[in-house]
Each structure stands twice: as structure tokens, then as C-alpha cells.
Amino acid sequence: DAKTTQPPSMDCAEGRAANLPCNHSTISGNEYVYWYRQIHSQGPQYIIHGLKNNETNEMASLIITEDRKSSTLILPHATLRDTAVYYCIVRVGANFGNEKLTFGTGTRLTIIP
Amino acid sequence: DAGVIQSPRHEVTEMGQEVTLRCKPISGHNSLFWYRQTMMRGLELLIYFNNNVPIDDSGMPEDRFSAKMPNASFSTLKIQPSEPRDSAVYFCASTRFSTSGIGGYTFGSGTRLTVV
């Protein structure tokens, strides 16, 4: 699976949009971009994933550049509960026998009151 | 949906003792994963199963670790004998594989293991 690069930490003011970048310049055509987050002492939580089109759900939006070499996770109105470590992961999607997710070090997002 | 259920939540044991961690995946999910998390090494995949069959156990640190999935609703991770360096939070996760692409994994709340 392609490696990802994320900033180790970021701050964002409460109520503002949090934009978390991820670089995945070696991504292959069949690899998806996944985002998870881990709030302190809890298990990781799935947020969103995409292949090449932008995606939006009730939690966040995922913007993938046209060349797919980078992406941005957007939390539109950050709250204190969004303080967590955010992981960007790229991996092959539907490939039976290769479903594993490999977590990097992620970005520690702190929402400031 | 009760989510992925892990037990116990906390385990403190003495070095050399056998430890068994348990996981009940979400009903209908056919892939199950065991991860370990420490400050030094982050989240590491230990082993995963598809349809109760172990697919990749390359992350299992050594022969002291073993995992089983006797049926679709239950899995165990056993450490025998345990050592202080096994102290970590162990997470279980499950997902339903589909040929159209894999969605998100659901993680349990974890078991915090302390070996003294």
C-alpha cells in the first residue's frame, strides 16, 4: 500500500472548519483514501473514504486532488469533541485477501475553545 | 447494533501467566482484525481473519501469541506466557468485505493489558 505523509499536529478554533492535509504521491490507481480518527482512549473510528471523486457524509468531506497525490479531510464546523488523532490511509479496496489497514502516526488535531 | 464487543476492558496479570482476550464482531461482518497499540509503536496489525480463516499473521510478534476464530461471532487472542513488554491496548475490529469495495472498519473499545 502507498505511504502517506501528514503533519504531526494542528490546531483549529472551535466553530471553524478544520482542514487536514494528507500527501500520498505514490498512490496507485486502485487504491482508496481512507480517514479514521482516534479520540483519546477509544478505538479508531471510521470517518470517510474515496477513490477519486470528492465525498461527503454526515461527519466530514473528503477532497481528493485530480492527480490523486494528495487529499484534504474537512470538518466543516469543528467542536471540542473533534479533538483526536486523524489517520489518513491508502489501500486497495476490493481485493480479497488484502483488506488490512496500516496506520501511520496521523495528525493530532486540537480544537481550541 | 452493539458494535464490536471486547472483554475484558482491563487486565492486569503477572509475568508468565496466560492471558486471553476476547472479541465478538458485529453480526454479518466477515473480516476480523486484531491490533495492538503502544506509545512507542502506534497501532500495529497483529492478525486478521476472513470468513473465520486466518489470512495474514505476519504481525504476530512471536510464538507466545496465538489467535483463533472458531466461528463467525467469536475470536480470541492468547498470550502465553505473558511478558511486561506485552503491555498495551489491544483492539479488535470487524468489517464486511464486499466486492464493490470495502467500507469502514468498526473497532471495539479495546482491552488495556498490563503485565507486571
Side-chain angles (χ1 to χ4, degrees):
Chain A
D1 293 334
K3 293 190 180 299
T4 62
T5 302
Q6 299 178 253
S9 64
M10 292 180 62
D11 293 339
C12 178
E14 186 178 18
R16 304 297 294 270
N19 296 276
L20 292 92
C22 180
N23 181 286
H24 32 80
S25 58
T26 60
I27 192 170
S28 300
N30 62 348
E31 288 183 311
Y32 287 72
V33 180
Y34 285 79
W35 283 85
Y36 284 75
R37 73 180 182 183
Q38 186 173 24
I39 297 170
H40 181 62
S41 299
Q42 298 181 21
Q45 177 189 24
Y46 165 78
I47 300 173
I48 198 168
H49 75 282
L51 183 61
K52 50 186 175 181
N53 297 322
N54 297 337
E55 303 287 345
T56 296
N57 63 21
E58 65 279 4
M59 290 183 67
S61 295
L62 173 60
I63 308 298
I64 303 174
T65 58
E66 192 169 342
D67 63 8
R68 302 208 324 121
K69 293 184 177 182
S70 65
S71 61
T72 300
L73 179 75
I74 301 173
L75 308 178
H77 304 286
T79 70
L80 298 179
R81 288 176 295 180
D82 293 322
T83 292
V85 177
Y86 287 77
Y87 298 97
C88 170
I89 303 166
V90 294
R91 58 171 296 280
V92 174
N95 185 1
F96 196 73
N98 189 26
E99 297 84 349
K100 60 184 182 182
L101 283 174
T102 301
F103 287 81
T105 54
T107 295
R108 182 173 298 277
L109 175 67
T110 302
I111 305 302
I112 310 296
Chain B
D1 181 1
V4 175
I5 300 173
Q6 292 187 245
S7 63
R9 288 298 308 276
H10 302 274
E11 176 81 32
V12 180
T13 190
E14 292 184 347
M15 182 174 62
Q17 296 298 306
E18 177 180 295
V19 176
T20 299
L21 311 182
R22 298 173 175 78
C23 176
K24 177 179 170 56
I26 290 175
S27 178
H29 282 189
N30 56 2
S31 292
L32 182 140
F33 307 79
W34 282 100
Y35 283 83
R36 176 173 70 175
Q37 186 171 34
T38 61
M39 289 292 294
M40 291 296 293
R41 301 174 68 90
L43 270 164
E44 304 173 278
L45 177 66
L46 300 178
I47 185 171
Y48 79 95
F49 298 82
N50 278 345
N51 296 323
N52 312 336
V53 176
I55 302 299
D56 184 347
D57 65 355
S58 60
M60 296 286 263
E62 48 197 273
D63 292 345
R64 297 185 297 106
F65 286 69
S66 63
K68 293 182 180 179
M69 193 164 186
N71 56 61
S73 59
F74 184 65
S75 177
T76 59
L77 178 67
K78 184 178 294 186
I79 308 173
Q80 166 64 16
S82 58
E83 297 182 3
R85 58 192 168 124
D86 302 331
S87 297
V89 181
Y90 291 80
F91 290 105
C92 176
S94 69
T95 192
R96 177 166 181 77
F97 173 81
S98 70
T99 54
S100 64
I102 292 183
Y105 293 18
T106 302
F107 282 77
S109 299
T111 294
R112 181 174 296 276
L113 174 65
T114 303
V115 183
V116 298

